[in-house]
Amino acid sequence: MKIIKKTIRIILKSALGLLLFLLVYGFVIFITSIISVNEKNKVTDKKITIYILSNGVHTDIVVPLKNEIKDWSKEISHSQTKAQDTTRQNLAFGWGDKGFYLDTPTWADLKASTALKAVTGLSNSAMHVTFYGSLKESETCKKIVVSESQYKKLIAYFENSFLLDEDNKIQRIGSHSYGKHDLFYEAKGSYNLFYTCNTWANQALKAGNQKAALWTVLDKGIFYHYE
């Protein structure tokens, strides 16, 4: 009986500890998500259009495929995709957990081992790149116009997120894709409870001196500042 009582106490304490952690975690997310940074952006020479795009959970940053500052087509080509659709001249970047990206095409495919590795930061990460045509603004797609200097900082952030090979080139991950217009590449860092795909996107906006949350792990924490 003593062993049973002790076991029950341990389980209850663990459950209460987890509940307390989740409450504090949720509260911190809420507070830091609504605190805005770079709110007063006084740059006037804005002429490059980018977008923030959400699928309801995950945020991508969409930039021109090529302009005078960066030509991504030299590294990421339409010809590598199944569609090979050269009319799509916008490129979306989304960082995330490699296991989620490659092994979990739908939530029904989620494995406990994949989830555990993701939240604890024990797995690798990947960059998901998708070609888009013209985009229309909506609740889940916001247009931002940035200056050349801001764009250079954003691009530098993207470039530094790729895991390069020995020849300093980005590394495609096999032939993996979700559809006909996307590709996957090796990336730096690890996904965890405190640094998610949306944290990466939020940090990208910060790097480009754009409005962003102080810290967030949710797409809503980003889009709140663009309502």
Side-chain angles (χ1 to χ4, degrees):
M1 288 296 292
K2 288 183 178 180
I3 295 176
I4 294 175
K5 288 181 178 179
K6 187 177 181 180
T7 303
I8 292 173
R9 282 199 298 269
I10 293 173
I11 293 172
L12 288 174
K13 285 182 179 180
S14 299
L16 287 172
L18 178 60
L19 178 60
L20 179 60
F21 169 77
L22 292 175
L23 288 173
V24 173
Y25 180 68
F27 177 75
V28 172
I29 290 173
F30 173 74
I31 294 299
T32 56
S33 290
I34 64 175
I35 297 175
S36 183
V37 298
N38 298 331
E39 187 69 34
K40 296 180 180 179
N41 192 335
K42 297 182 180 180
V43 177
T44 56
D45 58 331
K46 299 178 180 180
K47 60 181 182 180
I48 301 173
T49 299
I50 67 172
Y51 296 87
I52 51 174
L53 181 66
S54 172
N55 64 3
V57 176
H58 168 90
T59 305
D60 281 346
I61 308 292
V62 187
V63 300
L65 174 62
K66 55 184 176 180
N67 57 21
E68 62 276 11
I69 295 174
K70 178 67 177 182
D71 183 357
W72 286 105
S73 66
K74 293 179 180 179
E75 303 164 273
I76 303 171
S77 173
H78 292 101
S79 63
Q80 296 173 307
T81 65
K82 295 176 182 177
Q84 300 186 10
D85 184 358
T86 58
T87 64
R88 296 190 169 214
Q89 291 296 307
N90 286 306
L91 203 58
F93 291 83
W95 177 95
D97 180 76
K98 189 174 180 179
F100 262 111
Y101 267 148
L102 305 185
D103 303 326
T104 316
T106 68
W107 287 110
D109 299 304
L110 179 61
K111 298 177 182 177
S113 57
T114 300
L116 182 62
K117 286 182 180 180
V119 299
T120 56
L122 295 176
S123 63
N124 297 322
S125 60
M127 186 72 71
H128 184 219
V129 180
T130 308
F131 287 94
Y132 281 96
S134 59
L135 295 172
K136 294 183 180 179
E137 284 196 275
S138 66
E139 290 185 359
T140 57
C141 181
K142 301 293 182 180
K143 183 172 78 172
I144 308 171
V145 183
V146 304
S147 69
E148 289 188 357
S149 62
Q150 291 171 336
Y151 189 69
K152 287 177 181 178
K153 292 176 181 177
L154 178 65
I155 293 304
Y157 179 85
F158 285 173
E159 291 175 332
N160 191 50
S161 295
F162 284 95
L163 183 63
L164 305 180
D165 63 15
E166 295 178 352
D167 298 318
N168 288 322
K169 294 182 179 180
I170 62 175
Q171 307 175 77
R172 185 179 173 189
I173 302 174
S175 58
H176 290 281
S177 69
Y178 284 154
K180 297 180 179 180
H181 306 281
D182 64 307
L183 304 161
F184 285 97
Y185 294 88
E186 299 286 356
K188 296 178 182 177
S190 296
Y191 185 107
N192 58 65
L193 273 176
F194 305 98
Y195 196 94
T196 70
C197 52
N198 297 305
T199 312
W200 178 88
N202 190 64
Q203 290 295 109
L205 293 170
K206 284 185 179 181
N209 298 124
Q210 301 305 305
K211 289 188 296 182
L214 178 63
W215 174 73
T216 188
V217 297
L218 305 173
D219 63 330
K220 293 177 178 59
I222 296 173
F223 281 79
Y224 171 83
H225 303 278
Y226 289 88
E227 292 179 350

